[in-house]
Each structure stands twice: as C-alpha cells, then as structure tokens.
Amino acid sequence: MPYPAGGPTDAISRLLAERMKDGLGQAVIVENRPGGGTLLAAEAAVRAAPDGYTWLYTSAQMIIAAELNPPAFDIYKDLAPIAQFSKVYPLMWVVHESVPAKNVAQLSAYAKAKPGGITMAYSGYSAPAYLFGQLLNRTGGLPVTLVGYKGQVESQNDMLAGRIDAMFLTLAPVADAVKAGKLRVLATMGDERSPQTPEIPTLAEAGLPDVAFPYWNGLHTVGGTPRAVIARLDQAVAAAIAAPRMAERMRALSFQPSYADAAGFGVQFKRDAERLRKLLDESGVLEQARRDAGIKGPGKAP
C-alpha cells in the first residue's frame, strides 16, 4: 500500500483485502509503504517472488512518479496488472471558510490580491494537487504557494484548522465540515461533475484548465507471475467488489466500484500513461517538479 495508514485509500485497501480474503480462503495483509510518490511500495513489489502472493495497490500517481524520477525498474514490464477495482469520485477543490470566495473567479481575484497567492496542500510531487498548482502558477491565472505534506490526514487537519487555504480531496472525509460551512467546495477535478455534488462545476466549466487526472485504482503483481495465478486473483477482485453491501461501503469512502480485467486494465494503464506524459511534457510541469524535488534531469535525486 503506497499511502500512509488512516486515509481513504488505506481504508479502501483494507476493505478490499477483507473481501478478497473471503474469496481466496486465506489472510490478506495490508502493509503500508508510503514514500517516493508510490515508488517505494512499487519497488518492494517488484523485488518479491513472481508467485502471486504480493500485490501492489496502484493509481495513476505511480505513472507520474515514474516519469518524474525514473526508478531502477520498469513499471510496465516488472509489474503485471491484476484488475481495476474502482474509480474515485473526482477530487474536490475545497477552501477554508476564512477564504472569501464562493466560486473559482472570486478565488482567482482573492489569490491575485494576496501576497504569495493562496496556500494549497499537496502530498508528493506526483500528486494531482501539486501538478495543478504548478499549472496555475505557470499560466498566471491563479497564484498558488504549495505546501507539502506526508499524507492527506495531516493536510486535512491543517485545512480544518485554517492553516491552509485550499486543497484537493475526496468529499467523504470532510462531508460534515462542508455541511457545517467550515469548508467550501468550489470545483471538481474531473471530466464530469460528481454524482455526490452535481451542483458543483468541473474546473473546465469554471474556466480553468482541467488536469484530466485518471481516477482509477487497481492491483498489480510481480511481472512474470503465471497467467493462471493472475486469473485467479482477477476473479477474486471481481467477486470482492460484487459482494453484498460492498458497493455501499465503497461509495461511503468516495470510491465507485469499477471492474476491468487484467487485459483491459493493462490497456488502460498504458493509454493513461501516454495522456499524462503528454500533459507533463507540454506544460513544462515535469521539469519544474524535478527542480523542486532536487532531481537533476531524468534520474535519481542526489
């Protein structure tokens, strides 16, 4: 698990592990290995034996992390897709109640008038919030000072305390704060409006460039794992997300059940890699991220 314990991604991984245990007839242990923009966990996975007993929770962030700081392994050859199990409801762009903005246009005016612009939380240089913040800074449309955190729990706490102006997150962890008026949702980072908040516009609708960040989650295993083993794991994923009340529990965490088998997930993984690579290269954000991370060119940080 490439993210810290306690957040929504950790919760969904443990929920999936619980259901896959039922289908496979043996324990499934979630081990948190945060760091490196998901690459520390990926490195641990590729070093494991190709026997199907080690799985890696994957998202599009791993693709960006590998582009930013290419690891010693190949995420396309040394990892093998098992299945996609969900999509995440689009991330919400949320501001603290102290920010005098009810829409993106008002936020832009406020940011331009504030020294240093607004402060926005991010977790890692491969995170959607970091990429979008850099896009805003490069276009000059909305100045942002990015503030790094190890994970969403810490940044969310600072957001609720008013120490951060804005951040991107799924709605479920802060739904009560939004209802109470302590936080305000301005837009969603997705191609479509969220079914949770159909009244909230997308970033594109609000007049800002949309990162078009892919919102799937899946499982990979070690490259070279026998196809029959992958097929069994693939079937266990499909059965897990079809289990009674599973969809309800996933939606409560802002995840939408969405299944794609190993072959289909593999095609989508490579297609989204090309999309993200093009966005990063054409925007210049990739080089900016490397400079911020202290990475000298497409290699390891010193």
Side-chain angles (χ1 to χ4, degrees):
M1 181 62 196
Y3 302 105
T9 48
D10 180 62
I12 196 70
S13 71
R14 294 178 187 279
L15 180 59
L16 183 67
E18 176 187 326
R19 288 291 178 264
M20 289 187 71
K21 175 189 69 176
D22 297 338
L24 295 171
Q26 60 188 60
V28 177
I29 300 169
V30 176
E31 182 180 346
N32 298 90
R33 290 281 189 99
T38 73
L39 293 181
L40 288 184
E43 183 178 16
V46 300
R47 288 180 175 178
D51 54 14
Y53 281 90
T54 301
W55 319 330
L56 176 68
Y57 178 111
T58 52
S59 68
Q61 187 175 352
M62 184 175 70
I63 297 172
I64 298 173
E67 289 295 317
L68 170 65
N69 194 14
F73 54 91
D74 189 325
I75 64 171
Y76 306 101
K77 295 179 181 179
D78 296 330
L79 291 169
I82 295 174
Q84 174 186 298
F85 64 86
S86 77
K87 289 184 178 179
V88 187
Y89 287 138
L91 294 175
M92 304 291 176
W93 199 13
V94 178
V95 296
H96 188 259
E97 62 177 337
S98 62
V99 176
K102 295 183 179 180
N103 54 51
V104 172
Q106 292 177 4
L107 182 65
S108 179
Y110 172 72
K112 290 175 182 177
K114 183 182 180 183
I118 62 169
T119 54
M120 189 162 75
Y122 73 95
S123 300
Y125 295 109
S126 58
Y130 174 85
L131 300 176
F132 182 64
Q134 289 298 349
L135 284 171
L136 290 176
N137 281 330
R138 295 181 76 83
T139 61
L142 201 157
V144 172
T145 296
L146 292 162
V147 183
Y149 288 85
K150 291 182 179 180
Q152 181 173 309
V153 175
E154 294 87 352
S155 58
Q156 181 179 306
N157 289 340
D158 270 8
M159 179 72 179
L160 290 168
R163 289 186 283 268
I164 292 292
D165 293 326
M167 68 180 293
F168 281 97
L169 38 62
T170 52
L171 186 61
V174 294
D176 290 342
V178 171
K179 290 179 181 177
K182 296 183 180 298
L183 300 179
R184 193 178 307 117
V185 182
L186 301 187
T188 63
M189 185 193 285
D191 295 328
E192 300 177 355
R193 296 190 181 199
S194 169
Q196 294 175 299
T197 55
E199 74 282 5
I200 301 298
T202 66
L203 289 170
E205 290 173 332
L208 291 174
D210 191 357
V211 173
F213 194 81
Y215 290 102
W216 46 257
N217 298 101
L219 292 179
H220 278 67
T221 190
V222 187
T225 299
R227 290 186 179 181
V229 174
I230 291 177
R232 186 184 176 202
L233 297 176
D234 185 341
Q235 293 169 2
V237 171
I241 63 174
R245 296 195 60 202
M246 184 64 168
E248 177 184 344
R249 294 180 69 183
M250 290 178 70
R251 292 189 185 106
L253 294 169
S254 295
F255 290 81
Q256 175 70 30
S258 178
Y259 170 74
D261 64 15
F265 182 36
V267 169
Q268 180 169 329
F269 190 80
K270 291 181 179 179
R271 182 176 63 242
D272 286 341
E274 290 301 318
R275 288 177 56 198
L276 291 169
R277 188 177 295 119
K278 183 178 180 181
L279 171 67
L280 293 171
D281 287 341
E282 292 182 353
S283 67
V285 168
L286 185 63
E287 291 307 314
Q288 181 65 52
R290 284 176 177 156
R291 287 193 293 270
D292 289 350
I295 299 169
K296 297 181 179 179
K300 289 293 180 183

